[in-house]
Amino acid sequence: MDCSFSDRVARRATVISGHLRHEPPPSTASLDPAPCLHYVPPEISERPPAFDAGELRCLLDGHHVEARDWLFRVMEGSTLFRPRGRGGRVFVSPDYNQTKEQQREMTMRRIGYLTSRGVFNGWLTGKSEEDDMRKLAFLECLGIYDHSLAIKVGVHFFLWGGAIQFLGTKRHHDKWLKDTENYIVKGCFSMTELGHGSNVRGIETVADYDKNTGEFVINTPCESAQKYWIGGAANHATHTVIFAQLYMNGQNQGVHAFIAQIRDADGNICPNVRIADCGHKIGLNGVDNGRIWFDNIRVPRKNLLNSVADVLQDGQYISSIKDPDQRFAAFMAPLTFGRVNIAVSSIYVSKIGLAIAVRYALSRRAFSISPNSPEVLLLDYPSHQRRLLPLLAKTCAMSCASNYLKQIYLKRTPEANKAVHIYSSALKATLTWQNMTTLQECREACGGQGLKTENRIGVLKGEFDVQSTFEGDNNVLMQQVSKALLAEYMAVQKRKKPFKGLGLEHMNTPCPVIPENLTSSTLRSSTFQTDIFCLRERDLLKRFADEVSQYQSRGESKENAIMLSYQLAEELARAFTERTILQIVLEAEMTLPAGPLKDVLGLLRSMYALICIEEVASFLRYGYLSVGNAAAVRKEVMTLCSDIRPHAFAIVNSFGIPDAFLSPIAFDWIEANSWSSLSNE
């Protein structure tokens, strides 16, 4: 053992002495010093775009391109939006190193400035679809700058203001909407409680009608009934819409909505109201989320939002909607608009992450393939293409879907409310989940630079994580989608009539047949892609219905049977959503004339379809694809990466995000990190 130890010591000493010698070992050639790296903009290094990026932007933005650019300039032009120089450019973004109190104050100052510039004109008093589309475009722009700003504005206009619009009547509109639009009244939305989030029906706040005074007495009966996560409540809101169980003569009439004042004009909390701060969060610290307790606060009878139901002076309860379930659904209407906004904003955040990561990958090099050859651009590595380009395709496809969602929401009729709820639930969940996946991959694709706050992607992960659970927990929303599809299936079976609506008409046709051997041209054909997505959806719907039926035959209730079949329910909801997105993209593609833009959109559509097939186990699990065909799909994805690679720069440019709203690593990251740049910060 001693001899062995001595030998090891001698060998290590020899190796170390070799490292310490000044002259190179005889077998080692001398190395020339490497030249300093320099930044080459992709505008120079990349080929000219094959298509008009402006045309693709019009398709992806969908509307109000010029108005968006105006608002971007408004924000870039004000010191309130923190312009700072880096690498010879000016960027704008919030200072996330501020305390939550400072961030909240800056959010309100920015809102005040935007109000003075007329940004919010017509947001509640406008009557046309044009007004609605314009405010949606503006909200998307605000979210590109800062999620806290967009959420603070969204709670005020779309939750508080939307509740008054949709649940109130003329007396409420006349009294509250104009003052809300001008921020004379600052509103919040008190629905969520400590003990009840997604299950709104179970909230515990109570409202009793006192017919002697013509007032509702609203109370927080227990700690789990405290209103929680109420945006705007901790510092700024003067009024709130309270959702509470309405009791009339001891009988519960279900959840209703009431307007109540919680602060006076000087910011003092009103009597019988207690407010506490929710504290620091992993993101959204520019929003003052608060907790509220009501200690028998009295609210005038006329403050009941009464478009769905009303209480007369003598205490008589009246409603045009007799069915309690339908009445409850009507009270949930404001949440649908919230889900639409969240779905759309998540796509724009994915666009930010991808624009930064792709631009960086088009200027950052790593490793040489052969001696004395230049290092390779990150995006020229097939593995890096595989990381980013499928995400690029998904984001473009989901951008088209988000525009469709906005359109069907704004054009909705009472008969279409159910379909709008299903689509908004499915797309809100799917798009926000995809956003987090995209941001994580973009962060990693930028290496250590992705960790820096100034480069945005890491911060955006924390800021937008909340989207998976607010305005409806994503898993719960997807369960609602599959339950709605099951109800449609059972109704068709009972009526013996064909499917109509939700894109389920394909269920009325013969089952698609997938070719045994899938060639490249077949894999890229819209017919194959549509067929296999429809095949999966129809099969999973039947499997889900059969499994629920089997559980019921064993004595389980319908509700419990659905709960026990959750795995198929999750797969079905995903199948429905992905088929919906594919069909929307196909329809957008069909509107384009033949040419390079249509060709590129076809590549993105094929990538979207095939990456969904590759990522989802159900295609193999249930035999929609053979193992050999699954391998063919995988191979075709890599070929599509090569085909999309030359267009990547033009595609991210089509996102229409101004340079100032990106980050230093999207441009000259060497100069941005130079010693000289420190004096310019």
Side-chain angles (χ1 to χ4, degrees), residues 514 532 535-536 539-540 543 618-620 622-626:
I514 305 303
I532 197 162
L535 173 63
R536 172 179 54 151
D539 180 65
L540 287 172
R543 287 175 184 270
S618 60
F619 287 98
L620 271 173
Y622 302 112
Y624 314 137
L625 279 182
S626 66

Side-chain angles (χ1 to χ4, degrees), residues 481-489 502 504 537 541 572 576:
V481 170
S482 43
K483 285 175 69 175
L485 295 174
L486 176 63
E488 288 291 315
Y489 182 86
L502 298 175
L504 295 175
E537 183 181 20
L541 181 49
L572 171 60
F576 166 80

Side-chain angles (χ1 to χ4, degrees), residues 152-173:
K152 186 82 169 177
V153 168
V155 168
H156 178 74
F157 282 100
F158 297 112
L159 292 181
W160 154 264
I164 293 172
Q165 274 187 320
F166 298 130
L167 303 181
T169 51
K170 187 176 185 301
R171 72 188 189 212
H172 305 108
H173 301 164

Side-chain angles (χ1 to χ4, degrees), residues 27-258:
S27 61
T28 304
S30 61
L31 297 175
D32 294 328
C36 289
L37 293 173
H38 63 283
Y39 171 77
V40 178
E43 287 86 352
I44 294 175
S45 61
E46 291 296 290
R47 282 182 277 176
F51 62 92
D52 186 340
E55 290 183 18
L56 182 55
R57 183 189 176 188
C58 289
L59 179 69
L60 297 179
D61 275 346
H63 57 97
H64 288 89
V65 170
E66 292 182 3
R68 293 170 194 265
D69 288 341
W70 172 80
L71 181 52
F72 284 134
R73 291 193 297 271
V74 166
M75 291 189 280
E76 287 183 61
S78 169
T79 56
L80 284 171
F81 292 84
R82 207 175 70 94
R84 68 201 188 285
R86 297 287 275 122
R89 291 180 175 271
V90 176
F91 299 95
V92 291
S93 71
D95 183 357
Y96 294 106
N97 292 317
Q98 290 182 320
T99 65
K100 63 180 173 61
E101 289 77 18
Q102 291 171 322
Q103 290 186 54
R104 292 171 180 182
E105 177 61 25
M106 286 306 301
T107 299
M108 284 307 299
R109 290 178 63 188
R110 288 167 185 141
I111 289 173
Y113 173 75
L114 295 171
T115 303
S116 71
R117 293 298 303 268
V119 171
F120 306 124
N121 290 350
W123 277 38
L124 290 173
T125 57
K127 304 298 184 184
S128 68
E129 184 179 317
E130 166 75 12
D131 292 322
D132 286 336
M133 293 299 282
R134 179 175 174 271
K135 70 182 176 186
L136 283 172
F138 279 2
L139 189 68
E140 291 153 21
C141 295
L142 299 182
I144 288 172
Y145 174 74
D146 178 29
H147 196 204
S148 287
L149 178 60
I151 292 300
K152 186 82 169 177
V153 168
V155 168
H156 178 74
F157 282 100
F158 297 112
L159 292 181
W160 154 264
I164 293 172
Q165 274 187 320
F166 298 130
L167 303 181
T169 51
K170 187 176 185 301
R171 72 188 189 212
H172 305 108
H173 301 164
D174 292 346
K175 183 174 181 180
W176 301 102
L177 292 184
K178 189 63 178 177
D179 283 351
T180 296
E181 193 170 279
N182 293 327
Y183 270 93
I184 296 169
V185 167
K186 301 179 183 69
C188 63
F189 188 81
S190 296
M191 177 180 282
T192 299
E193 296 179 356
L194 177 61
H196 290 87
S198 296
N199 181 17
V200 178
R201 240 183 178 150
I203 62 174
E204 298 172 288
T205 302
V206 294
D208 290 288
Y209 182 64
D210 183 349
K211 62 183 178 183
N212 295 321
T213 62
E215 296 171 311
F216 295 101
V217 182
I218 301 177
N219 189 49
T220 303
C222 52
E223 288 297 343
S224 59
Q226 63 180 276
K227 297 298 182 181
Y228 215 96
W229 294 124
I230 310 305
N235 295 119
H236 302 126
T238 58
H239 293 74
T240 190
V241 171
I242 306 172
F243 286 80
Q245 305 284 357
L246 173 59
Y247 282 84
M248 302 294 300
N249 301 315
Q251 182 179 354
N252 186 1
Q253 299 292 345
V255 175
H256 289 64
F258 309 83

Side-chain angles (χ1 to χ4, degrees), residues 12 18 24 26 42 70 118 138 227 254 262 311 387 397 408 501-502 620 650 654:
R12 290 178 64 83
W70 172 80
F138 279 2
K227 297 298 182 181
I262 58 174
V311 174
R387 296 174 70 180
I408 64 169
L502 298 175
L620 271 173
S654 75

Side-chain angles (χ1 to χ4, degrees), residues 455-471:
N455 288 328
R456 297 207 70 186
I457 300 173
V459 169
L460 292 175
K461 283 175 54 187
E463 287 290 306
F464 283 84
D465 197 329
V466 66
Q467 287 192 333
S468 299
T469 51
F470 74 176
E471 303 295 334

